Amino acid sequence: MEVSFKKEIENLKLGQGQTFYGEGILAVTKALLQSGVTYVGGYQGSPISHLLDVMVQARPYLDTLGVHVEACTNESSAAAMLGASIMYPVRGAVTWKSIVGTNVASDALSNLASPGVMGGALIVVGEDYGEGASVIQERTHAFALKSAIWLMDPRPNLTSIVNLVEKAFELSEASNTPVMMELRIRTCHVQGRFETKDNVAPKISSAQLQQTAPAFDYAKLAHPPATYAHEKLKYESRMPAARQFIEAAGLNETCGGDIANIGIVIQGGLYNTLMRALDVLGLVNEAGESRIPLLVLNVVYPLVPNQIESFCSDKASVLIVEEGQPEFIEQEVATHLQRRKIRTALHGKDVLSMGGEYSAEVVIRGVETWVAQYANESLQPDRPSYLKTLAHVRAQAAEILGSPLPARPPNFCTGCPERPVFAALKLVERDFGKLHIAADIGCHALATFAPFSFGHSILGYGMSMASNAAVKNFSANRPIAIMGDGGFWHNGLLSGVSSTLLNEGDGVLVIMKNGYTSATGTQETVSSPTSQSKLVAEGRSATGVELTIEKTLKGMGVKWLKTVHNYHVATVRDTVRQALNSPFKGLKVIIAEGECQLERQRRIKPIQAARLKQGLRTLRTRYGIDEDTCTGDHSCIRLSGCPTLTVKDSADPLKTAPVAHVTNDCVGCGLCGEVADAAVLCPSFHKIEIISNPNWWDRFINRINQWAIQRLQVQA
């Protein structure tokens, strides 16, 4: 039961002259259909998940256009889909989170870029870079340079984004080269509107079938000796064609300003941040336009030498605003100017930070330093310095607080089924001491934060088991690898499990089976409950093929395999102990099964609301703590980390320490009580069943309970 995108799907159907309102990533989705795309694939990940999610749910409508949509098992399989555009005049688009997804897809992309494409091929990547990123701090730009794939970085404006998606296909076809489009978080989620066009049904599609395959052409294969010719084609034919198209189509923009002796060259994706900085510095005119001339690079690779020369030749200095490092654009601009003997002074990373996200503060600081060096006195802002004001506010906050703000890392959702597994692991460490635990990409990576602090490595999605390959040979205790069911199907099955079986390796693998690829929006996997129900509905279960993790592992030869219910903490603890102590030399797999709590709540809440509205009996379970019994030790909090388990002042004046308390956000998973029982903690936890619209039996039982309680209180 994924999030519904019914409203967004209706926006995909808008026609000529209508107005689309929404966010950037959904504008990209609409633009793909307006461009006559034949097929779309990808793997979900922030910040581009919505693109694929919406299209998957819009399949009935897309079938009418003949557009094929495929949710791929990983980024490599998505990139390989673009092979359809090598020999056929069809447009295809794939999407994933970069840079991690691009790394996974790198082999397919390199082999795609070598022969080039006939139909337009577009790769939409979520450039998850900066302080809010959840991946390593690297850039897609480096990969584009390596493989000669053209790279777009559109200005964060819906009209510009849509236009550039359409032009990306044209650029790809004009230069026979795949095109990447990087979209930062702010670009994906920027709100706006644009005037729509009719969707274009592709000429070759699932509705208009290609009747014959093309003739064999060895030159279209990424295989020696053809690859030697491909290398020359990339830079002697395709790149000049790309530059010619970029210039003729006006993909890069020049704008501003009355200050003619200086200029700024900026990546398109940073345009809004720069305009904010210029406004703060008083360098924007009454119409909201920059007073400093700008060259906005919506295509950051390849650059067009003629545009660079035209913009820079009459200026004393040019500032390059380029996020991240190395400074690829700054180096290339410097090379073009040097070759043409243009002596314009270039600045970039000398006044702006070398690495990190270019926030408004960073850009303001750099632009202010640069302007002070080259602009006339009359250009200096007459308003109080933004940076001085910001520093003053921070100093005031520090004085009031008396200490720095505590870190607030992300946490598991309330009732998350993965939290009890890590609580059980903490109990196991009481017996075995510190264990080597390889973490993985996914929700379970949140266990690297307090109170669990588990994880000695994170080397890629589904790579935890593989990262223990060497450790298990010199570790006294068997190392433990954690991965989710999403990571298992993405990469873990082949990179970790099969490699361990091949090498007869020892070790323990814990697979969090919550039913979905939860961290990216609870998309389905091949073993999701809803996927299995679809098989049944389609009559495909009659073949006897049921895709489950357990059957897959048994089929591969895993002999030690146990499935546990996550919330039974004592059972999980004992099963991990067995795996660590087992005399069996080989891979030991524990399937920790518990439905994703978000999906459970999405499923249950509408049912409960409907029952309440109809006046039917409705039961809600939650837990509480008897503060008279609580000793204030708080081991329960340290072992579970549940956000609804907190502290409050005791009503007992003799208790100086705060007591544990369960807030009303409790979803009734029972972890707190399970932990208290498994760890032999205090008996202060109690289960509460809240019954709305009780029936006669509930009322009868309640009267008996009340009578018994009163009698016991009188006797006491």
Side-chain angles (χ1 to χ4, degrees):
M1 181 182 175
E2 298 181 37
V3 176
S4 173
F5 291 100
K6 183 178 180 180
K7 179 182 177 182
E8 288 79 0
I9 291 171
E10 292 303 311
N11 283 338
L12 297 183
K13 301 176 183 178
L14 296 175
Q16 183 67 40
Q18 294 182 282
T19 302
F20 177 103
Y21 296 91
E23 60 180 359
I25 192 62
L26 298 177
V28 173
T29 308
K30 171 61 175 163
L32 293 176
L33 300 182
Q34 293 181 176
S35 302
V37 70
T38 295
Y39 61 94
V40 179
Y43 192 83
Q44 61 276 352
S46 172
I48 47 78
S49 289
H50 282 15
L51 191 158
L52 195 62
D53 290 344
V54 170
M55 283 206 151
V56 167
Q57 292 189 23
R59 274 178 178 149
Y61 170 64
L62 299 183
D63 287 343
T64 65
L65 297 172
V67 178
H68 172 69
V69 179
E70 190 162 309
C72 303
T73 54
N74 57 35
E75 297 85 356
S76 185
S77 61
M81 284 185 71
L82 294 174
S85 295
I86 295 176
M87 294 291 288
Y88 296 91
V90 294
R91 290 180 168 181
V94 294
T95 182
W96 55 70
K97 175 193 190 81
S98 197
I99 186 74
V100 287
T102 305
N103 289 341
V104 174
S106 60
D107 197 26
L109 287 179
S110 295
N111 286 282
L112 175 74
S114 188
V117 294
M118 177 188 298
L122 176 62
I123 304 134
V124 181
V125 297
E127 192 74 348
D128 196 7
Y129 183 88
E131 293 181 2
S134 59
V135 297
I136 46 180
Q137 299 295 283
E138 294 182 1
R139 300 164 63 197
T140 304
H141 201 130
F143 192 92
L145 290 170
K146 175 187 76 69
S147 296
I149 296 176
W150 314 146
L151 179 62
M152 286 186 163
D153 189 1
R155 189 156 58 93
N157 169 286
L158 263 59
T159 300
S160 298
I161 292 170
V162 170
N163 176 60
L164 287 165
V165 168
E166 296 172 354
K167 292 298 182 184
F169 285 112
E170 296 178 26
L171 172 60
S172 177
E173 290 161 351
S175 59
N176 302 119
T177 303
V179 174
M180 302 181 86
M181 178 177 286
E182 59 179 3
L183 301 174
R184 294 171 180 76
I185 292 175
R186 290 185 178 89
T187 305
C188 287
H189 299 308
V190 67
Q191 295 288 323
R193 63 183 180 181
F194 68 93
E195 187 175 305
T196 61
K197 302 175 186 176
D198 290 334
N199 294 331
V200 177
K203 293 181 181 179
I204 300 176
S205 68
S206 57
Q208 300 289 331
L209 301 179
Q210 173 81 5
Q211 296 303 314
T212 59
F216 173 75
D217 185 356
Y218 190 85
K220 294 294 185 182
L221 298 177
H223 197 264
T227 49
Y228 309 144
H230 295 164
E231 180 72 5
K232 293 178 67 67
L233 282 171
K234 281 182 179 181
Y235 301 105
E236 295 179 4
S237 176
R238 298 177 196 166
M239 182 173 284
R243 284 172 168 160
Q244 183 179 356
F245 181 88
I246 292 165
E247 193 168 14
L251 299 188
N252 295 326
E253 306 169 80
T254 55
C255 51
D258 62 282
I259 309 169
N261 71 315
I262 58 175
I264 298 176
V265 177
I266 182 171
Q267 294 174 267
L270 300 178
Y271 177 83
N272 290 359
T273 303
L274 174 65
M275 292 304 296
R276 166 64 176 157
L278 294 177
D279 181 50
V280 167
L281 293 171
L283 295 171
V284 171
N285 63 23
E286 294 81 359
E289 301 166 339
S290 169
R291 293 189 60 200
I292 301 175
L294 306 178
L295 173 57
V296 182
L297 299 175
N298 292 310
V299 183
V300 295
Y301 178 70
L303 298 184
V304 181
N306 291 339
Q307 289 183 337
I308 301 300
E309 178 183 8
S310 175
F311 183 78
C312 297
S313 59
D314 61 345
K315 294 178 175 58
S317 178
V318 167
L319 176 68
I320 312 293
V321 182
E322 174 186 7
E323 191 173 60
Q325 55 82 35
E327 59 272 52
F328 297 121
I329 297 174
E330 187 176 341
Q331 291 175 11
E332 188 173 353
V333 169
T335 299
H336 289 315
L337 296 182
Q338 178 67 25
R339 286 174 179 171
R340 300 190 179 205
K341 295 181 170 54
I342 297 171
R343 302 305 179 190
T344 302
L346 282 186
H347 292 273
K349 296 298 183 183
D350 55 338
V351 295
L352 291 158
S353 60
M354 176 60 78
E357 184 178 7
Y358 274 13
S359 62
E361 180 184 355
V362 171
V363 177
I364 289 169
R365 192 182 305 277
V367 172
E368 188 175 48
T369 302
W370 172 70
V371 167
Q373 186 175 351
Y374 288 96
N376 300 323
E377 286 297 324
S378 60
L379 299 179
Q380 299 304 312
D382 55 5
R383 66 185 72 182
S385 169
Y386 173 87
L387 298 175
K388 289 181 180 178
T389 302
L390 188 60
H392 177 66
V393 171
R394 285 176 173 160
Q396 282 185 314
E399 183 179 351
I400 293 171
L401 292 171
S403 63
L405 282 172
R408 296 186 65 189
N411 204 339
F412 292 106
C413 298
T414 302
C416 175
E418 298 185 0
R419 182 182 283 108
V421 176
F422 292 108
L425 284 175
K426 286 185 76 74
L427 296 177
V428 170
E429 284 195 332
R430 289 183 175 181
D431 300 328
F432 288 84
K434 193 66 180 174
L435 297 169
H436 181 96
I437 296 178
D440 209 295
I441 301 295
C443 294
H444 36 277
L446 299 178
T448 57
F449 298 116
F452 303 116
S453 301
F454 281 132
H456 291 89
S457 62
I458 296 181
L459 291 178
Y461 196 22
M463 298 294 287
S464 58
M465 190 71 215
S467 70
N468 275 349
V471 176
K472 61 177 177 283
N473 297 297
F474 57 75
S475 177
N477 285 321
R478 287 167 174 153
I480 297 175
I482 309 289
M483 83 176 57
D485 40 9
F488 174 82
W489 293 117
H490 177 276
N491 202 356
L493 175 63
L494 295 180
S495 66
V497 173
S498 63
S499 181
T500 302
L501 292 172
L502 172 66
N503 292 284
E504 299 180 348
D506 198 1
V508 180
L509 171 62
V510 178
I511 300 176
M512 302 288 192
K513 185 181 176 184
N514 62 20
Y516 303 87
T517 307
S518 298
T520 56
T522 62
Q523 291 86 3
E524 295 176 6
T525 70
V526 293
S527 58
S528 293
T530 45
S531 297
Q532 296 302 312
S533 64
K534 286 179 182 177
L535 289 174
V536 174
E538 295 169 4
R540 291 161 63 191
S541 60
T543 62
V545 178
E546 184 183 3
L547 296 174
T548 67
I549 295 174
E550 290 88 344
K551 287 187 176 181
T552 301
L553 291 172
K554 288 178 181 177
M556 291 187 69
V558 174
K559 296 180 173 58
W560 199 104
L561 177 65
K562 296 183 183 295
T563 299
V564 295
H565 192 287
N566 291 21
Y567 294 102
H568 299 161
V569 175
T571 303
V572 176
R573 176 201 60 195
D574 294 342
T575 305
V576 174
R577 284 175 177 169
Q578 290 175 26
L580 293 172
N581 285 325
S582 173
F584 175 74
K585 302 295 183 182
L587 177 60
K588 288 159 281 294
V589 181
I590 300 172
I591 309 291
E593 188 166 8
E595 183 184 12
C596 170
Q597 190 64 225
L598 286 179
E599 286 299 296
R600 182 175 182 274
Q601 293 303 315
R602 289 185 185 127
R603 177 169 52 82
I604 289 176
K605 283 186 176 181
I607 297 173
Q608 290 180 328
R611 291 184 63 85
L612 286 170
K613 189 174 181 180
Q614 297 171 25
L616 299 176
R617 181 183 185 274
T618 306
L619 174 67
R620 176 194 165 198
T621 302
R622 59 158 298 179
Y623 286 77
I625 294 174
D626 182 357
E627 66 175 82
D628 291 334
T629 308
C630 177
T631 63
D633 172 68
H634 307 318
S635 294
C636 52
I637 296 176
R638 292 192 295 273
L639 283 170
S640 78
C642 177
T644 67
L645 189 56
T646 182
V647 294
K648 70 172 186 178
D649 291 333
S650 173
D652 187 346
L654 298 179
K655 286 187 177 181
T656 57
V659 293
H661 173 66
V662 179
T663 71
N664 203 42
D665 292 326
C666 173
V667 296
C669 71
L671 170 61
C672 50
E674 283 284 331
V675 167
D677 180 64
V680 195
L681 302 178
C682 66
S684 59
F685 287 92
H686 53 266
K687 181 178 179 180
I688 305 169
E689 293 184 342
I690 304 170
I691 302 174
S692 300
N693 304 316
N695 56 31
W696 68 268
W697 178 254
D698 296 321
R699 297 179 187 278
F700 174 70
I701 294 297
N702 182 60
R703 290 194 187 97
I704 294 177
N705 288 337
Q706 292 296 325
W707 174 81
I709 291 170
Q710 289 175 358
R711 291 295 299 270
L712 290 172
Q713 287 176 335
V714 170
Q715 292 177 3

